[in-house]
Amino acid sequence: MLILLLFLALTLGAAPAVAREALPPPQEREAWLVTYGPGEIYWQRFGHNAIWLREPGGLDHTFNFGFFDFEQESFLLRFVQGRMRYFAAAVPADQEFDFYAGEGRSVRVQRLDLSPEGYDRLREYLVWHVQPENREYLYDYYRDNCSTRLRDALDLALDGAFRETFRLQPADQTLRAHTRRSTEADRAYYLGLVTALGLPIDRSITRWDEMFLPAVLADSAAEYGDLQNGRAGPLVLEERLLVPGQVALPPDRPGRTWPFYGALGLALAVAVSLLGRTRRPGAVAGFVFGWLLIAGTLGLALGVAWAFTDHHDAFPNLNLLLLNPLGLLAIVPALRRFAAWLLVAGVVAAVADLLWPGGQYLADTVALIAPLNLGAAAWLLRSRANRQEGRVAS
C-alpha cells in the first residue's frame, strides 16, 4: 500500500509536508500503537495503523500489515474473487511517518505499558510475520485486515486479556454504519459500496469486531483497563499527535444520504417522462431498455459475487430486488408484462425491508432506483397495451 501511495504522490503531487514532533531516543524497549488518519483517496478513507517498536541501539521500525503488490500472480483475478493477498513489512519509522505527513494525514502514537514478557511476545509475533516465508495472508476487509492483525498482536502481548475485555461489549455501530460514514463524502464510491455489500454487514457486532477500524482500535487501547486480571493501571502510558492531519475527518455517524439519491432518481424519471411528451418514443424506449440492461447486468454481477466468489459480505444481498437480472426479459415483447410486474414487486419488497427492523440498509438504493424501475414498468405496461390495441384495430 505504501508503494502504491508513494507512486500516486509522485504522479499526482503530494500535499506539503507537515512538521513532525520528534521523540527523544528510547531509554528502554518501547512499543507504540500508531494510527494514521484518513487520506483524500477513496481507499484511504478508513485510515491505517502500525505498531512501532523502539529499542536502544536496535529496532526503530513500524510493523504493519497493509501492503499488497500489483505484480503478484493473478492480482486482478484474486481481487475479483475476493482472495486478495496482503503482506506485512517493517519500515524505518522516520521514513513511514514522513510519508504520511507528506500525504497530509495525521499520525497518532500511543506508548503501551507492556510487561517484559508481553513485549517479547509482541516482538516475536511481529518479526515472525515480516519474514518473506510468513508475511502473506488472505485479506478480508472487515475480519482480517491491517487493524485486526494488530488487535490480535496486542491481545497476544496481553495474554488474551484484551479480547476478553471487549469480546462481549456491544459495538457502537454496525459495519454498515462505519462504512457509510467513512465514505459518504465520495458519492460514487459510497453508492457502489452500499449496493455491493449485503445483509451480513447490517448485523450487530461486538467492540472486538469493530476494531477493524484503526481509530476504534486506538480508542479501545486508550480505554482498556483489566483490573480483573490484576492490571494496576491503563494500557496507554502516553499519547501524542506527531503529525496533525490536514484531511477532514469523517463524521461520527452516517448522515441522511438518501434524499440526494432520491432527488437524482426522480430527476432522471421526470426527464424521461418529459422526453416522452415530445413524441420521441424511440428515445424513451432507448432509455428504458438501456436502464434495464444496466440494472440487469449489475444484478448478474451481484449474483456472481454471491455464488462464485469469497466476498462473504456481499451475500445475501437484497439489492437484487431492485437490480433483478430477470428484468432483461423485457427484451422479449411477450414477456414485457411479466417483467414490468417483477420490477414493481421488487420495489414493494425493498420498501418492506426498509420498514422491517433489523433488515438490510436499502434507503439509498431504493431512493435512486425505485423511480427508475417504476417508470420503466409503467412504460412496459403501456407499450404492451398499445400493441394489443393495435392488433385489435387491425
Side-chain angles (χ1 to χ4, degrees):
M1 180 64 78
L2 286 173
I3 293 171
L4 175 61
L5 295 180
L6 180 59
F7 171 77
L8 288 170
L10 292 173
T11 56
L12 301 180
V18 178
R20 173 167 61 85
E21 179 185 354
L23 298 183
Q27 301 302 310
E28 58 183 1
R29 299 187 306 174
E30 297 176 353
W32 297 71
L33 177 61
V34 184
T35 306
Y36 305 110
E40 294 282 6
I41 305 172
Y42 62 92
W43 66 74
Q44 301 172 345
R45 298 306 299 164
F46 295 90
H48 188 42
N49 55 6
I51 287 181
W52 179 20
L53 297 184
R54 306 179 76 213
E55 299 176 356
L59 279 176
D60 186 14
H61 289 68
T62 55
F63 293 77
N64 81 69
F65 291 81
F67 293 86
F68 65 86
D69 183 5
F70 280 116
E71 299 301 321
Q72 71 179 229
E73 185 178 357
S74 304
F75 174 86
L76 182 58
L77 179 61
R78 285 183 174 276
F79 174 78
V80 171
Q81 292 175 328
R83 300 169 189 167
M84 284 280 290
R85 301 202 68 85
Y86 274 54
F87 62 91
V91 179
D94 284 342
Q95 176 182 326
E96 184 161 304
F97 295 159
D98 285 344
F99 172 79
Y100 280 96
E103 288 284 309
R105 300 171 68 177
S106 61
V107 180
R108 171 189 180 186
V109 297
Q110 298 164 294
R111 185 160 68 92
L112 305 176
D113 183 17
L114 301 179
S115 67
E117 297 79 14
Y119 183 93
D120 288 338
R121 288 194 295 268
L122 178 64
R123 187 185 197 279
E124 181 180 358
Y125 175 93
L126 295 173
V127 171
W128 187 88
H129 276 89
V130 298
Q131 302 307 310
E133 65 273 19
N134 306 323
R135 66 181 188 168
E136 287 195 346
Y137 69 100
L138 197 59
Y139 180 84
D140 184 289
Y141 33 84
Y142 291 123
R143 294 168 185 84
D144 196 357
N145 68 5
C146 57
S147 187
T148 63
R149 289 265 162 162
L150 298 189
R151 175 201 66 187
D152 295 345
L154 289 182
D155 185 54
L156 178 66
L158 295 169
D159 201 20
F162 196 61
R163 182 179 186 275
E164 191 64 26
T165 299
F166 294 107
R167 69 183 180 89
L168 297 179
Q169 181 179 330
D172 181 53
Q173 300 180 57
T174 64
L175 299 176
R176 172 86 65 182
H178 281 304
T179 301
R180 291 183 57 225
R181 71 177 184 83
S182 298
T183 61
E184 64 183 41
D186 188 331
R187 297 191 187 277
Y189 180 45
Y190 170 90
L191 184 62
L193 286 179
V194 298
T195 303
L197 295 170
L199 184 59
I201 68 167
D202 292 281
R203 294 169 180 155
S204 298
I205 58 173
T206 67
R207 183 66 176 269
W208 180 255
D209 303 317
E210 201 176 20
M211 293 183 208
F212 85 96
L213 282 176
V216 175
L217 178 58
D219 292 341
S220 300
E223 297 167 11
Y224 172 79
D226 192 24
L227 299 177
Q228 293 80 7
N229 286 281
R231 189 172 190 84
L235 174 60
V236 175
L237 294 173
E238 64 174 303
E239 179 170 324
R240 301 188 183 208
L241 186 64
L242 295 186
V243 180
Q246 297 178 296
V247 179
L249 296 176
D252 293 334
R253 300 275 173 180
R256 258 172 109 243
T257 50
W258 66 265
F260 169 82
Y261 297 103
L264 179 60
L266 284 172
L268 288 172
V270 169
V272 175
S273 176
L274 293 176
L275 185 63
R277 297 188 179 187
T278 63
R279 301 185 181 278
R280 295 180 183 175
V284 177
F287 179 89
V288 169
F289 287 114
W291 164 245
L292 293 176
L293 178 61
I294 292 171
T297 302
L298 290 175
L300 285 173
L302 292 179
V304 168
W306 186 333
F308 300 108
T309 76
D310 290 347
H311 291 289
H312 303 296
D313 294 303
F315 55 88
N317 191 336
L318 298 185
N319 280 305
L320 278 168
L321 295 170
L322 300 166
L323 301 170
N324 193 332
L326 294 179
L328 295 172
L329 294 175
I331 297 173
V332 181
L335 296 177
R336 285 181 184 175
R337 182 180 180 84
F338 171 76
W341 286 115
L342 199 63
L343 295 176
V344 173
V347 171
V348 171
V351 172
D353 173 77
L354 281 177
L355 303 176
W356 189 266
Q360 181 177 332
Y361 177 83
L362 296 177
D364 300 302
T365 47
V366 167
L368 174 64
I369 297 173
L372 301 176
N373 280 2
L374 293 177
W379 185 88
L380 290 172
L381 292 172
R382 182 179 175 184
S383 66
R384 177 170 175 78
N386 290 339
R387 283 171 55 86
Q388 290 176 338
E389 289 177 7
R391 289 173 182 171
V392 171
S394 62

